[in-house]
Amino acid sequence: MNVKPFKLEIIINPVAGVGGSVALKGSDNVAQQALSLGAIPQANNRMLQALGQFADLAPRFSIVTAGGEMGERCSLELGLNVTVVYRPANDSTTEQDTYAAVEALLAQDIDLLLFAGGDGTARNICATINDVVPVLGVPAGCKIHSGVYGVTPKAAGCVVRRLILGELVTLADADVMDIDEVAFRQGTVKAKRYGEMMVPSDLRYVQSVKMGGIESDELVLTDIAADVMADMEDEYYIMGSGSTVAFAMAELGLDNTLLGVDVVHQHELIAADQTAAQLIALTQDKPCKLVITLIGGQGHIFGRGNQQLSPQLIKQIGKENIIVLATKTKLSALAGRPLIVDTGDVELDQALSGFIRVTTGYRDYIMYRVANPEYED
């Protein structure tokens, strides 16, 4: 008996997240500016990581997609057979191409829409798909607040693999969220719900909607900040994004880029809102510490909102010089799930996996597991 192949729709926003590494906090309306600053699009590479998790099952699925950088090139690179049902008029694609591609692909009676992009792309798809088919996102944007994404590209691929193999996977509605990028670039987060989409749900592989708000336990945060300050000597301290790190900066009496990356030396702010390239140039051959926190409710420490912390920089600093800050309340909310690294460099992600020390108060630390779901047994 012939079994109908699983029909997979692929859409890629080629410029998703392109503004992250050059500190533009997104790609909405600034893609060309980001490219002129030297940003390198990564959305196709992210989709390649996802497709690589099930490419060996090629006889069991078929792909329909959009032309060129919107899905065709990526699929052909892995030797997969594709049917192209939409071609953008220009190499520089827009959200109108996303709308048109979704409409063309929905006419193909597909089983799952797999897309690579950020929250803006999710919004575009949500406005077009009307809960007709399941959707799963490959995270490629700077801001990933929606609950429709795999926790990493490979994790998204793991979910698709389970579907192709016919394993039981729960379908659930997940919120599509997005923020005002203009306000975001000015340090203000204004998130809004734009709807929901049906996603294949697996808590190991599909992320939660990002938790908002500022940690209210000021005493604990003060203790965490005191621990960081007590150890500050001659090293250069790269201060990552997030409210917990921002609290430490406030305790130091320094201005802080809440949604960016700053550099401190000898208790003085020497560089604010740095790009990936600037950070590497500034700290090359210097003793450095990297201070980061996790995203509440999700557990990511790299790969969400801090793309300025590039794989090259992380390798240059070394795992032993990474300082993770978090309250025990924030860690407890993960319900035993690991901290997640999603740098875009598979070997680095594996090197960072294992256990890492987390500062949870003044001279108070715990060891917490770091892993990517696709590495789990």
Side-chain angles (χ1 to χ4, degrees), residues 125-142:
I125 292 173
C126 182
T128 311
I129 201 166
N130 293 323
D131 221 14
V132 177
V133 297
V135 174
L136 183 60
V138 174
C142 293

Side-chain angles (χ1 to χ4, degrees), residues 292 299-302 319 322 324 331 336-343 348-358 367-373 375-376:
I292 58 175
H300 288 81
I301 55 175
F302 291 118
K319 182 178 179 179
I322 297 173
V324 181
L331 291 171
R337 299 192 304 274
L339 299 177
I340 298 172
V341 287
D342 182 23
T343 66
L348 176 59
D349 288 348
Q350 291 175 322
L352 291 170
S353 296
F355 283 84
I356 196 167
R357 192 176 81 163
V358 179
M367 299 302 294
Y368 202 94
R369 189 164 56 97
V370 177
N372 279 41
Y375 303 147
E376 302 286 280

Side-chain angles (χ1 to χ4, degrees), residues 15 25 65 110 170 237 336:
V15 295
K25 316 297 191 300
T65 188
I110 61 172
T170 300
Y237 277 70

Side-chain angles (χ1 to χ4, degrees), residues 116-364:
D119 285 330
T121 311
R123 279 179 57 186
N124 298 155
I125 292 173
C126 182
T128 311
I129 201 166
N130 293 323
D131 221 14
V132 177
V133 297
V135 174
L136 183 60
V138 174
C142 293
K143 51 186 193 331
I144 304 291
H145 287 64
S146 300
V148 300
Y149 290 92
V151 293
T152 68
K154 292 179 70 176
C158 288
V159 175
V160 178
R161 183 180 185 88
R162 292 185 61 194
L163 289 167
I164 294 171
L165 291 173
E167 297 181 15
L168 294 177
V169 178
T170 300
L171 292 178
D173 289 332
D175 288 339
V176 175
M177 308 287 290
D178 200 6
I179 62 175
D180 182 338
E181 281 199 3
V182 174
F184 188 58
R185 295 185 185 103
Q186 297 170 352
T188 301
V189 178
K190 294 181 179 179
K192 180 180 177 181
R193 181 181 181 276
Y194 285 88
E196 59 185 25
M197 294 192 288
M198 182 170 56
V199 301
S201 179
D202 186 321
L203 293 180
R204 292 175 298 166
Y205 298 120
V206 180
Q207 75 174 40
S208 304
V209 174
K210 184 185 184 300
M211 291 171 59
I214 302 298
E215 170 64 53
S216 61
D217 194 345
E218 186 170 308
L219 179 60
V220 175
L221 292 173
T222 299
D223 283 348
I224 291 173
D227 188 270
V228 175
M229 294 164 62
D231 291 332
M232 276 189 167
E233 296 180 354
D234 292 331
E235 293 99 340
Y236 286 74
Y237 277 70
I238 300 172
M239 308 297 287
S241 58
S243 59
T244 306
V245 177
F247 195 98
M249 289 288 281
E251 289 293 290
L252 283 163
L254 303 177
D255 291 335
N256 166 254
T257 310
L258 176 63
L259 304 171
V261 179
D262 304 322
V263 181
V264 173
H265 182 51
Q266 296 181 337
H267 291 242
E268 296 292 333
L269 178 66
I270 64 169
D273 203 15
Q274 296 289 280
T275 68
Q278 288 171 331
L279 288 169
I280 289 171
L282 180 62
T283 61
Q284 187 79 43
D285 300 323
K286 294 183 176 70
C288 291
K289 300 287 187 183
L290 173 58
V291 182
I292 58 175
T293 189
L294 58 115
I295 295 181
Q298 295 179 8
H300 288 81
I301 55 175
F302 291 118
R304 292 290 188 279
N306 59 5
Q307 285 89 345
Q308 302 94 319
L309 305 178
S310 65
Q312 181 180 346
L313 179 70
I314 297 168
K315 290 176 182 177
Q316 178 178 299
I317 292 170
K319 182 178 179 179
E320 68 279 6
N321 292 311
I322 297 173
I323 301 170
V324 181
L325 311 180
T327 65
K328 290 176 182 176
T329 299
K330 204 170 187 179
L331 291 171
S332 295
L334 294 176
R337 299 192 304 274
L339 299 177
I340 298 172
V341 287
D342 182 23
T343 66
D345 183 314
V346 174
E347 291 185 0
L348 176 59
D349 288 348
Q350 291 175 322
L352 291 170
S353 296
F355 283 84
I356 196 167
R357 192 176 81 163
V358 179
T359 301
T360 55
Y362 184 74
R363 298 300 186 246
D364 187 10

Side-chain angles (χ1 to χ4, degrees), residues 50-95:
L51 294 178
Q53 300 307 296
F54 56 88
D56 60 308
L57 302 177
R60 303 181 65 163
F61 68 91
S62 61
I63 292 177
V64 289
T65 188
E69 297 293 307
M70 290 190 71
E72 180 186 27
R73 181 185 68 78
C74 183
S75 303
L76 292 177
E77 189 170 333
L78 289 177
L80 302 174
N81 292 322
V82 301
T83 299
V84 177
V85 296
Y86 173 79
R87 288 193 179 277
N90 302 297
D91 290 337
S92 299
T93 60
T94 68
E95 65 180 17

